[in-house]
């Protein structure tokens, strides 16, 4: 695929017909992006009260009347690059502008400018499609950590669209990732002098913690190999969630959630203590 291509945007009269396979909230443009099974990305404008801060700059669809009301309003569709189902979406700051980063099941990744819907760059650096992506930007680099049908975690620099770090440690496919700390405004992440801590979960139930590599230079990015691994005590673990104060990590499973307290150093507060387990009620 071409490294740079201008893709048209279009308003549509109703809901998308293809199956929705991935979603993300684009806070800076006050919209929701939904990836679909046919590789297109559909955008909805969201109510202002969904977002804690104002829009940044000129946005896609500005000045277009999409109807009144406080609910979701159709905005635009991005297409022409992905030829496989979208598996993951995330927004990130690059060169002081907020962009949408998309990935499909074939491993194709694209960067979209939200102001006008232009696809800025594409890459096939991965052989598999990421199922989860998190923003790990730091040291002036716009970085995304990806996991999917692989035991490894890949860190992509979206500037050159290249893999710069591969994290080994899991014995099964990774299911989800989350990071600490997480700034609401992504510009703060890019300028951070150290890497955020990464928590990763695999389908076998192993939960790992990856800490910033303190010996690295101000420009080289790296993480310490996993120093804390836990086998979670719930069935079919699927996802990770940090509480609003970043004081606890929750592992979501099929019918229960495990609650791990975190210390100031981002490790588990009590390595030997079992987590609290809460069972979901059927009523």
């Amino acid at each position: 695929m071409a490294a740079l291509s201008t893709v048209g945007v279009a308003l549509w009269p109703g809901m998308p017909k293809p199956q929705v396979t991935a979603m993300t909230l684009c806070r800076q443009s006050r919209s929701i992006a939904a990836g679909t099974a046919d590789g297109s990305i559909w955008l909805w404008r969201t109510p202002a009260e969904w977002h804690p801060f104002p829009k940044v700059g000129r946005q896609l669809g500005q000045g277009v009347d999409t109807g009144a009301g406080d609910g979701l309003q159709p905005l635009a569709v991005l297409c022409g690059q992905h030829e496989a189902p979208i598996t993951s979406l995330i927004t990130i700051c690059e060169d002081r502008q907020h962009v949408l980063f998309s990935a499909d099941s074939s491993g194709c990744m694209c960067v979209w400018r939200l102001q006008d819907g232009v696809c800025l760059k594409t890459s096939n650096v991965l052989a598999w499609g990421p199922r989860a992506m998190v923003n790990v930007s730091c040291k002036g680099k716009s970085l995304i950590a990806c996991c999917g049908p692989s035991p490894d975690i890949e860190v992509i620099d979206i500037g050159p669209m290249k893999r710069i770090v591969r994290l080994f440690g899991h014995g099964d496919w990774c299911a989800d990732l989350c990071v600490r700390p997480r700034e609401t405004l992504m510009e703060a992440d890019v300028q951070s002098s150290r890497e955020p801590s990464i928590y990763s979960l695999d389908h076998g139930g192993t939960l790992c913690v990856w800490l910033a590599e303190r010996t690295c230079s101000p420009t080289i990015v790296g993480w310490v190999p996993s120093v804390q691994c836990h086998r979670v005590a719930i069935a079919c673990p699927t996802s990770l969630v940090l509480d609003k104060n970043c004081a606890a990590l929750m592992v979501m499973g099929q019918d229960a959630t495990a609650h791990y307290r975190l210390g100031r150093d981002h490790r588990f507060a009590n390595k030997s203590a079992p987590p609290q387990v809460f069972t979901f009620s059927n009523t």
Side-chain angles (χ1 to χ4, degrees):
M1 292 184 180
L4 174 64
S5 59
T6 302
V7 179
V9 296
L11 300 179
W12 69 91
M15 300 293 286
K17 295 181 179 179
Q19 177 187 4
V20 174
T21 54
M23 294 189 71
T24 192
L25 180 63
C26 307
R27 295 183 183 275
Q28 286 70 26
S29 60
R30 290 184 180 175
S31 61
I32 282 180
T36 65
D38 68 358
S40 59
I41 301 169
W42 300 67
L43 301 180
W44 284 272
R45 180 179 285 115
T46 55
E49 59 268 21
W50 288 24
H51 306 276
F53 47 86
K55 291 186 288 185
V56 178
R58 186 179 67 85
Q59 302 298 329
L60 182 68
Q62 184 175 353
V64 177
D65 183 9
T66 56
D70 296 329
L72 296 177
Q73 300 174 1
L75 178 59
V77 59
L78 310 178
C79 57
Q81 294 296 333
H82 291 289
E83 299 179 354
I86 304 296
T87 56
S88 192
L89 296 165
I90 190 173
T91 54
I92 189 170
C93 183
E94 183 194 23
D95 295 333
R96 298 185 179 181
Q97 66 177 343
H98 292 91
V99 296
L100 177 66
F101 189 89
S102 60
D104 66 32
S105 60
S106 70
C108 175
M109 298 180 292
C110 298
V111 177
W112 306 85
R113 190 165 59 204
L114 288 172
Q115 286 90 338
D116 52 16
V118 170
C119 181
L120 299 174
K121 61 189 81 173
T122 65
S123 174
N124 290 84
V125 66
L126 297 181
W128 41 265
R131 294 323 193 250
M133 301 190 295
V134 291
N135 180 2
V136 293
S137 298
C138 59
K139 299 181 179 180
K141 302 177 185 292
S142 299
L143 308 175
I144 291 176
C146 310
C147 73
S150 167
D152 304 330
I153 300 168
E154 308 281 6
V155 179
I156 308 297
D157 186 339
I158 72 168
M161 293 291 276
K162 293 182 179 180
R163 178 180 58 229
I164 61 170
V165 177
R166 174 179 289 171
L167 303 180
F168 303 90
H170 284 283
D172 204 341
W173 288 4
C174 287
D176 200 14
L177 302 170
C178 68
V179 294
R180 178 188 179 192
R182 183 81 280 123
E183 301 289 343
T184 302
L185 292 174
M186 287 178 281
E187 291 89 344
D189 298 328
V190 176
Q191 300 306 322
S192 174
S193 61
R194 63 177 298 175
E195 300 85 341
S197 299
I198 301 176
Y199 302 94
S200 58
L201 174 71
D202 67 31
H203 288 286
T206 300
L207 176 62
C208 298
V209 183
W210 308 82
L211 302 179
E213 176 56 76
R214 297 184 179 182
T215 61
C216 281
S217 74
T219 58
I220 298 176
V221 178
W223 280 264
V224 174
S226 184
V227 293
Q228 282 192 306
C229 297
H230 288 250
R231 182 70 66 171
V232 297
I234 58 175
C236 303
T238 57
S239 58
L240 298 172
V241 180
L242 277 171
D243 72 357
K244 65 179 181 179
N245 298 318
C246 292
L249 179 68
M250 291 166 281
V251 182
M252 311 300 292
Q254 182 177 8
D255 54 9
T257 178
H259 187 276
Y260 292 88
R261 289 193 305 110
L262 300 174
R264 291 185 177 180
D265 61 355
H266 298 191
R267 301 170 186 251
F268 297 116
N270 191 333
K271 184 177 180 180
S272 59
Q276 290 181 290
V277 176
F278 302 93
T279 303
F280 302 140
S281 173
N282 294 326
T283 59

